[in-house]
Amino acid sequence: MLTIFYDGQCPLCSAEMSQLKRYDHQHQLCLEDLHQHDFAERYPHIDPIAANKVLHGQLSDGQLVTGLDVTCLAWKTVGKHAWLQALRWPLVRPLSDAAYRFFARHRQTISQYFKPAKVCKVCHSKHCDW
């Protein structure tokens, strides 16, 4: 079992988690949104600020994994995107990790180019709590 702690307010993060869930036929993933009201109670050992900066995951034995290690492990677990494992090769890893850190830092801005914000049907705002 791999538990993934993700930013449910990030459109790209949410889209990826939806894809993973769709392919998780063996129910090997547990997807946890960092913004759930009871997150801190259920996962007191996970720093939501750190996990919001870099993707965090937890293996069944309690071991924490971060960044691209989580992404690659998740896709391997569901049997898709085998090419991602190349990102963990020793010569490629430093470059892919640097690219991931850049992406993670700027994912909200990058998300705007791929997933436009939804507009509320009530108030017509992109940032609505309705």
Side-chain angles (χ1 to χ4, degrees):
M1 176 68 71
L2 171 63
T3 302
I4 302 173
F5 307 104
Y6 72 98
D7 178 4
Q9 295 178 357
C10 170
L12 289 177
C13 302
S14 294
E16 183 173 18
M17 294 305 122
S18 292
Q19 285 184 334
L20 282 166
K21 186 175 184 175
R22 184 171 52 241
Y23 292 123
D24 185 21
H25 304 295
Q26 302 297 318
H27 306 288
Q28 294 297 307
L29 300 177
C30 177
L31 308 176
E32 296 290 348
D33 183 350
L34 296 168
H35 303 288
Q36 294 175 54
H37 72 281
D38 61 346
F39 182 84
E41 295 168 18
R42 293 186 303 118
Y43 299 101
H45 61 289
I46 301 295
D47 177 357
I49 295 171
N52 199 31
K53 290 180 182 177
V54 175
L55 186 63
H56 279 49
Q58 182 174 317
L59 304 176
S60 297
D61 65 3
Q63 178 186 353
L64 290 178
V65 290
T66 59
L68 275 179
D69 288 334
V70 179
T71 299
C72 293
L73 183 56
W75 286 106
K76 183 178 182 179
T77 299
V78 299
K80 298 289 183 185
H81 305 314
W83 63 269
L84 285 171
Q85 300 313 307
L87 299 177
R88 305 294 76 203
W89 293 348
L91 294 176
V92 178
R93 186 181 191 112
L95 296 173
S96 60
D97 285 347
Y100 170 80
R101 286 189 301 273
F102 176 84
F103 171 80
R105 191 175 319 117
H106 301 287
R107 72 184 185 280
Q108 293 292 345
T109 303
I110 294 168
S111 289
Q112 294 175 24
Y113 295 105
F114 296 98
K115 292 270 189 186
K118 292 182 181 178
V119 176
C120 175
K121 293 178 183 179
V122 176
C123 71
H124 306 290
S125 169
K126 290 183 180 180
H127 307 286
C128 177
D129 292 329
W130 287 68

